[in-house]
Amino acid sequence: MTYEVKWNKKAKKSLDKLHPSIQKRIYAGVDRLKEEAKRMKKMSRPGEEYCARVGDYRILFEIGENTIVIQEIGHRREIYRD
């Protein structure tokens, strides 16, 4: 199943701050999510349901009926802090 990807403002803003080479890798990771979303790691914290790894960066996202909503993007040492 292929999903439509939507970005929230926080995720888009975080992505814009990253180096262009990292942005390219994140976009490639999001493209993989369209096909493999259900195989990603499920989160235990409330809010974000799934996590995908792209090198040292993490993509936190929720899966809807036909959509993936990217909630947050960040470095692994900072992304899980609240």
Side-chain angles (χ1 to χ4, degrees), residues 39-82:
R39 289 188 253 164
M40 296 297 161
K41 181 181 174 187
K42 198 158 185 131
M43 299 290 294
S44 59
R45 79 183 223 194
E48 291 83 24
E49 292 184 16
Y50 294 89
C51 176
R53 294 175 51 196
V54 177
D56 285 341
Y57 288 84
R58 302 297 182 262
I59 303 169
L60 303 182
F61 62 99
E62 294 179 352
I63 300 175
E65 215 171 294
N66 295 320
T67 61
I68 296 172
V69 181
I70 308 295
Q71 297 292 330
E72 196 171 345
I73 295 173
H75 194 275
R76 65 186 174 95
R77 73 174 166 243
E78 298 167 356
I79 194 78
Y80 301 114
R81 295 180 186 173
D82 277 335

Side-chain angles (χ1 to χ4, degrees), residues 16-59:
D16 290 341
K17 292 180 181 180
L18 297 175
H19 190 274
S21 64
I22 297 171
Q23 287 180 9
K24 186 176 177 180
R25 291 175 50 203
I26 297 288
Y27 280 121
V30 170
D31 284 341
R32 282 193 309 273
L33 284 180
K34 292 178 184 178
E35 296 293 331
E36 304 174 0
K38 291 288 187 180
R39 289 188 253 164
M40 296 297 161
K41 181 181 174 187
K42 198 158 185 131
M43 299 290 294
S44 59
R45 79 183 223 194
E48 291 83 24
E49 292 184 16
Y50 294 89
C51 176
R53 294 175 51 196
V54 177
D56 285 341
Y57 288 84
R58 302 297 182 262
I59 303 169

